[in-house]
Amino acid sequence: MKHVRHFTPSLFLSLVHVCLVQANYAPYFFDNGARSTNGNMALLSLSEDTPVGTHVYTLNGTDPEGDPVTYDLTYEAGSRRYFSVDKNLGNVTLIEELDREKEDEIEVIVSISDGLSTVSEKVRILVMDANDESPEFINTPYIVEVPENTPSSSSIFKIEAIDKDTGSGGSITYFLQNIHANKFTIDRHSGVLRIKTGVTLDYEKSRTHFVVVVAKDGGGKLRGDNKVFSATTTVTINVVDVQDTPPMFIGTPYYGYVYEDTLAGSEVLTVVALDGDRGKPNSIHYCIVNGDEGSFEISNTTGAISVTKSPNQLKKEVYELKVKASEISQEGDTPEHIFAMVTIRVVDLNNHPPTFYGENGPQNRFELTMYEHPPEGEILRGLKITVNDSDQGANAKFNLRLVGPGGIFRVVPQTVLNEAQVTIIVENSAAIDYESSKVLTFKLLAIEVNTPEKFSSTADIVIRLLDTNDNVPKFSSDYYIARIPENSPGGSNVVAVTATDPDSGLWGEIKYSIYGTGADLFLIHPSTGIIYTQPWAVLDAEVNSKYNFYVKAEDTDGKYSLAEVFITVLDVNDHSPEFNENIQEKTMIIGSPVKIEAIDQDAEEPNNIVDYSIMQADPANVFDIDQSTGEIKLKSYIRSLDIIHNITKNKDCIWSLVVQAKDRGSPSFSTTAVLKIDITEETLHKGPMAAFLMQTKDNPMKALGVLAGVMGIMVLITIMISTAMFWRNKRSNKVMPVRRIIKKRQMPPSRTVRMEWLKFKRPSNAAEKFVVEEDVKSLHNENSNNNIQVVPAPPASPLPPAPPALAPRSDAPGWRVPTVSGSLTPKHVIKPPKKKGHGSTHNALVSELKMRFEKRNAAFGEPHI
């Protein structure tokens, strides 16, 4: 019984739960159609260029009982997850990049759940194409063999490219680059490559052609822009040779010689012919057609022509042979042939070469010693050379020439018949230079001109040069740049200059010296060229950091050259920062910084760069300082004097700070100073006067001087106005009564002058006691006999300007008056056009102006007499 009582409540709860579950209705998706952006995702299509992270759809459904629903996306095993969903809102986001070419349909299982029931549906998302693929050529590389006799306009190859995109993005058109420069065309749709109309190929002119083919798709949208993609490939077209060119002789014209000692059967010369078709050339067959007269024969295969008789049996001096060269094809026929003429001359034997002679007989070496740079046109008289050829006639004619460095000497004569005296003349004196070459070597060549043997002989010409002082000392550089620290002791080395003189002996010795306005502190060693400072010299980069002078290199004959020396004195950190004189006391308005400044007299950075810091302050949490500018300001949380009073018991708000200015040199120097800062609050409106008063708070004499100047200007203007009014009334013929009756009438707005009279109100603080407000009343003056210049002008004349003393200015800056603590509080008021002064002079001037306006207003109410 105990066991039964334990399970009875549990069984009852289970039955209640089953009843509740059976009463629950399943949620369902809304089916909003193919173009809807929310529902069950059925018939959804996305472009493959949709960016990752895009919100692409919203799952939307409901529960019949109104319970909240959640959404989910699942995929089949092994499938890539392209989307994620917000379970509560149903927002579907793309999380994986789409690629239609890899997967054009995505299956997703969408589900909706009310917590008890879940409904799932399998949907397919179509991936739409975007133009994101470029054309690709297939079956590359393209190499085409085309016979050279292929007719024009013939198709020779078909090029094929594919584009994985669909629609216009997948359509491909073809075209050639440099269409005007090649011999081919291509069908833009089929890709068939053809020879241009009217164009033929020629293997002998060009064996290979390279054609660049471009495949371009039809374009399409990609991420909102219209994109067109293309690809290029190169087609190599090899032209195949065809037997269409006759043979040709090489090395024409042909000349041969038969000498008196030539033996019968000797080869005289060889003719050479080649097939004009170089791809697969045919063999050549040679034969003599006529002109041989039985004295010569030719080899059918090699083309070697030989004499068949001895020279004394030859009846003619010149034989003209007509030789035929024929191609022999593989079939054995001779389709192509060509002719050439061969001239064979019978001559006497040439057996004596030219020979050189000196004073003592045949000689093949001649030597001479001379100074460098002789005058141009001078004859080398130390050379005694004769040349001779013992042959006669044409065999004794030969040419002379020098072989060696060109353009230095020339030989006379250049052509010799039998014998001549050889003369060598200087042609380029500058090239005969001892420093460049101490010995000049040439070969004197004599070679026969018109003989087939071209006999020749040579002789060596050796010229030894002696030196002269023909060079100027030359520095290794046109200028020398040196740097030396300013703390270098006297006698320190600065820089070494180097000059060279290629002359030999004493002519090559160099002496150095320096001169110029910048050389006073320096010396130079006369032989080594080392520049050093004077023993007593003291360098200071702050006084002079640049020195410039000249250095001279001179040889023993007085020939010299100059170079320029630039010396920079490097700064050394030898100065401490120094504060300016007005650093002792500063007034700080809450919200505005004060600035300190220290100057470091060093010449260069970082020695003269100053950093600022606060070394001591009590309390230490009130001020901050800008390390670079030296601006001192209150910490950001201090916005009023009350906060400062809460921090410290120092009620007078005058602080003493120990500030430090430290340079960045190595070693670093620093200076400290005690700065007193008077902290106050700004009590006047901001404006030029307030700024001026704050600037002159610490210099009251300056403020008094400016105030006296302003008051003087106002008195001068008042006198000028009174004088002008006096002379105008004096020139008027009318009698001006003391009181007149004036009928008031409405005045146009342009003649209305307004002014605010002084109104004194209860001040809220000390600064407001000095605030002035003025009320400008509308006035009219018909007789123009007082200081208000509002006279109705004649129609033809323009209105005169308002008097300077009474015309209001709305853009005048407001007054700024110092308070007891020395701070400024801006107060915006309407200011008269002239500057006001302080004290009794200002109050008297205002009272006088007020009385005049009251009298004028009273006169307006009286009748006009």
Side-chain angles (χ1 to χ4, degrees):
M1 292 297 292
K2 185 178 181 180
H3 180 73
V4 173
R5 283 197 306 268
H6 177 72
F7 279 95
T8 300
S10 176
L11 179 60
F12 175 74
L13 292 176
S14 298
L15 292 175
V16 172
H17 177 70
V18 170
C19 294
L20 292 176
V21 170
Q22 289 178 352
N24 181 66
Y25 291 95
Y28 61 89
F29 282 105
F30 296 128
D31 189 357
N32 295 328
R35 296 182 180 274
S36 175
T37 59
N38 66 84
N40 58 356
M41 262 182 109
L43 302 177
L44 174 63
S45 60
L46 292 175
S47 177
E48 63 177 329
D49 61 350
T50 302
V52 174
T54 302
H55 174 213
V56 297
Y57 198 82
T58 301
L59 292 176
N60 194 5
T62 186
D63 183 72
E65 289 83 13
D67 292 335
V69 296
T70 58
Y71 306 94
D72 196 9
L73 293 176
T74 58
Y75 300 84
E76 293 184 355
S79 298
R80 181 178 294 180
R81 296 178 58 86
Y82 286 94
F83 306 98
S84 65
V85 64
D86 186 304
K87 294 184 177 296
N88 297 318
L89 301 178
N91 294 331
V92 179
T93 303
L94 181 66
I95 61 173
E96 183 75 21
E97 186 175 345
L98 301 175
D99 190 348
R100 187 203 62 84
E101 286 72 30
K102 294 181 179 179
E103 190 172 2
D104 58 358
E105 279 190 2
I106 302 172
E107 289 189 352
V108 181
I109 300 173
V110 298
S111 60
I112 182 172
S113 174
D114 62 359
L116 295 176
S117 300
T118 300
V119 176
S120 300
E121 297 181 11
K122 180 183 288 187
V123 295
R124 291 185 178 180
I125 292 91
L126 301 179
V127 181
M128 308 305 292
D129 186 44
N131 190 26
D132 60 342
E133 298 288 337
S134 300
E136 295 182 3
F137 290 95
I138 61 175
N139 300 324
T140 56
Y142 297 133
I143 301 176
V144 186
E145 304 285 341
V146 181
E148 64 176 333
N149 60 352
T150 303
S152 63
S153 302
S154 299
S155 301
I156 59 174
F157 192 69
K158 182 177 181 181
I159 297 164
E160 188 174 357
I162 60 172
D163 193 316
K164 296 178 182 180
D165 291 319
T166 60
S168 63
S171 63
I172 297 177
T173 56
Y174 305 89
F175 59 93
L176 302 182
Q177 289 185 355
N178 301 324
I179 184 65
H180 301 291
N182 58 55
K183 298 184 176 182
F184 306 93
T185 61
I186 192 170
D187 187 283
R188 64 191 308 268
H189 298 295
S190 65
V192 174
L193 191 65
R194 291 185 173 87
I195 302 174
K196 279 185 179 179
T197 303
V199 174
T200 58
L201 304 179
D202 191 345
Y203 176 86
E204 286 70 36
K205 293 182 179 179
S206 181
R207 301 182 182 184
T208 305
H209 299 272
F210 298 98
V211 179
V212 178
V213 181
V214 179
K216 182 176 69 173
D217 64 20
K221 293 290 184 180
L222 179 62
R223 297 181 180 89
D225 296 328
N226 190 53
K227 295 290 185 179
V228 177
F229 294 99
S230 62
T232 60
T233 189
T234 300
V235 180
T236 303
I237 300 174
N238 295 322
V239 181
V240 179
D241 189 26
V242 176
Q243 290 296 329
D244 59 351
T245 306
M248 49 187 169
F249 281 99
I250 305 299
T252 58
Y254 293 115
Y255 296 97
Y257 299 92
V258 177
Y259 300 99
E260 56 185 352
D261 60 347
T262 302
L263 299 176
S266 299
E267 181 179 320
V268 179
L269 78 161
T270 300
V271 297
V272 178
L274 299 176
D275 187 354
D277 301 306
R278 303 296 177 84
K280 297 179 180 179
N282 290 327
S283 58
I284 304 297
H285 180 271
Y286 303 94
C287 65
I288 299 176
V289 178
N290 54 44
D292 61 318
E293 298 182 3
S295 300
F296 300 94
E297 63 180 7
I298 189 171
S299 171
N300 295 334
T301 56
T302 64
I305 298 176
S306 303
V307 59
T308 58
K309 297 178 181 180
S310 61
N312 58 2
Q313 294 176 331
L314 300 178
K315 299 178 181 180
K316 298 171 62 177
E317 292 184 1
V318 177
Y319 289 85
E320 298 285 344
L321 308 182
K322 185 176 182 180
V323 179
K324 177 182 178 182
S326 304
E327 292 185 23
I328 300 177
S329 65
Q330 295 179 357
E331 292 77 13
D333 55 354
T334 55
E336 300 287 346
H337 61 273
I338 193 173
F339 297 96
M341 296 304 296
V342 179
T343 301
I344 299 178
R345 186 179 299 274
V346 180
V347 295
D348 291 334
L349 183 62
N350 180 30
N351 52 5
H352 292 93
T355 304
F356 291 101
Y357 295 89
E359 294 179 343
N360 300 320
Q363 187 175 334
N364 59 4
R365 182 181 177 87
F366 300 88
E367 296 186 5
L368 174 67
T369 300
M370 58 182 291
Y371 283 103
E372 62 177 338
H373 304 303
E376 293 183 0
E378 181 176 303
I379 297 174
L380 303 187
R381 301 186 184 279
L383 294 176
K384 305 293 184 180
I385 305 173
T386 303
V387 64
N388 174 270
D389 191 325
S390 301
D391 290 321
Q392 299 298 318
N395 292 335
K397 186 177 181 181
F398 55 92
N399 289 336
L400 289 176
R401 61 189 176 111
L402 281 175
V403 179
I408 300 178
F409 300 100
R410 62 186 175 93
V411 62
V412 177
Q414 294 184 352
T415 302
V416 179
L417 183 62
N418 290 117
E419 184 176 308
Q421 183 76 31
V422 179
T423 301
I424 297 177
I425 302 173
V426 176
E427 194 169 38
N428 184 359
S429 175
I432 306 174
D433 188 15
Y434 175 85
E435 287 73 31
S436 299
S437 179
K438 295 178 176 58
V439 178
L440 298 176
T441 302
F442 298 88
K443 282 191 177 294
L444 183 59
L445 174 64
I447 183 170
E448 294 178 344
V449 179
N450 297 322
T451 63
E453 295 84 6
K454 301 291 183 182
F455 286 144
S456 64
S457 61
T458 60
D460 293 329
I461 307 295
V462 179
I463 301 175
R464 304 185 187 278
L465 299 179
L466 300 176
D467 191 23
T468 61
N469 189 20
D470 60 330
N471 290 282
V472 176
K474 185 177 182 181
F475 282 99
S476 59
S477 176
D478 293 334
Y479 56 89
Y480 294 88
I481 299 175
R483 297 174 177 84
I484 181 171
E486 63 177 343
N487 59 353
S488 300
S492 298
N493 290 347
V494 180
V495 64
V497 299
T498 304
T500 57
D501 191 328
D503 292 320
S504 60
L506 295 177
W507 292 326
E509 294 182 1
I510 298 174
K511 180 181 178 181
Y512 299 97
S513 60
I514 60 175
Y515 67 94
T517 57
D520 297 339
L521 299 181
F522 302 94
L523 297 173
I524 188 170
H525 193 282
S527 59
T528 64
I530 297 176
I531 298 175
Y532 53 94
T533 59
Q534 294 272 13
W536 46 264
V538 177
L539 302 178
D540 191 344
E542 289 74 36
V543 176
N544 189 2
S545 63
K546 303 291 182 182
Y547 294 92
N548 173 221
F549 52 85
Y550 291 93
V551 59
K552 179 179 179 181
E554 185 177 11
D555 65 13
T556 54
D557 272 357
K559 294 184 177 182
Y560 67 91
S561 62
L562 301 177
E564 199 165 2
V565 179
F566 299 89
I567 298 177
T568 300
V569 179
L570 300 178
D571 183 45
V572 176
N573 192 24
D574 54 356
H575 288 84
S576 300
E578 296 180 2
F579 285 102
N580 53 15
E581 297 178 355
N582 60 349
I583 190 178
Q584 287 81 8
E585 295 184 2
K586 296 285 185 179
T587 299
M588 175 183 287
I589 299 173
I590 295 179
S592 300
V594 296
K595 185 176 181 180
I596 62 173
E597 185 177 10
I599 303 299
D600 192 308
Q601 297 297 331
D602 286 313
E604 299 177 359
E605 296 181 358
N607 296 334
N608 59 6
I609 297 178
V610 178
D611 293 331
Y612 302 92
S613 61
I614 296 175
M615 302 299 294
Q616 182 178 351
D618 186 18
N621 59 345
V622 174
F623 297 98
D624 286 327
I625 189 168
D626 189 294
Q627 178 182 349
S628 301
T629 65
E631 285 190 349
I632 300 175
K633 57 184 178 180
L634 295 171
K635 291 188 176 292
S636 59
Y637 65 86
I638 300 177
R639 298 183 178 88
S640 66
L641 289 174
D642 295 336
I643 298 177
I644 296 178
H645 293 158
N646 292 334
I647 297 175
T648 177
K649 297 179 180 180
N650 188 5
K651 301 303 179 181
D652 58 358
C653 296
I654 297 179
W655 305 82
S656 293
L657 304 180
V658 179
V659 294
Q660 182 190 64
K662 183 178 183 181
D663 63 29
R664 297 184 182 179
S666 180
S668 178
F669 292 101
S670 63
T671 302
T672 58
V674 177
L675 172 64
K676 293 184 178 181
I677 298 179
D678 180 7
I679 302 177
T680 182
E681 289 184 322
E682 189 174 19
T683 58
L684 288 178
H685 292 293
K686 295 182 179 178
M689 182 60 69
F692 170 75
L693 291 175
M694 283 308 301
Q695 293 175 1
T696 59
K697 178 180 180 299
D698 298 327
N699 190 359
M701 296 304 296
K702 181 177 179 181
L704 292 176
V706 173
L707 183 59
V710 172
M711 293 174 62
I713 292 173
M714 292 187 67
V715 171
L716 179 61
I717 292 174
T718 303
I719 294 172
M720 292 175 62
I721 294 173
S722 301
T723 304
M725 295 301 298
F726 169 77
W727 284 105
R728 190 187 66 172
N729 293 335
K730 186 176 182 180
R731 289 195 300 268
S732 176
N733 295 326
K734 294 182 180 181
V735 179
M736 303 300 176
V738 178
R739 296 179 60 85
R740 285 171 292 181
I741 300 174
I742 301 174
K743 295 182 179 179
K744 295 184 179 180
R745 61 181 176 182
Q746 184 130 14
M747 295 300 296
S750 61
R751 300 183 182 179
T752 301
V753 179
R754 295 182 178 178
M755 181 175 183
E756 293 184 0
W757 288 107
L758 299 173
K759 292 184 179 180
F760 297 94
K761 56 184 179 179
R762 184 182 184 89
S764 59
N765 51 45
E768 292 181 0
K769 294 179 181 180
F770 297 91
V771 176
V772 177
E773 294 185 359
E774 296 179 356
D775 182 16
V776 180
K777 296 182 179 179
S778 176
L779 300 178
H780 175 62
N781 184 2
E782 291 188 357
N783 294 328
S784 302
N785 61 352
N786 55 21
N787 291 334
I788 302 179
Q789 303 290 325
V790 191
V791 180
S797 300
L799 292 175
L806 299 176
R809 289 178 57 183
S810 61
D811 57 347
W815 282 88
R816 293 189 177 181
V817 181
T819 63
V820 176
S821 63
S823 63
L824 295 178
T825 302
K827 186 70 176 180
H828 297 287
V829 296
I830 299 175
K831 182 181 177 183
K834 298 300 180 180
K835 296 181 179 179
K836 294 183 179 181
H838 296 283
S840 60
T841 303
H842 167 68
N843 295 332
L845 179 60
V846 173
S847 299
E848 180 183 354
L849 293 176
K850 182 177 180 182
M851 291 174 63
R852 290 188 180 183
F853 275 96
E854 288 176 348
K855 291 179 180 180
R856 185 66 56 193
N857 291 336
F860 287 162
E862 296 178 1
H864 195 291
I865 298 175

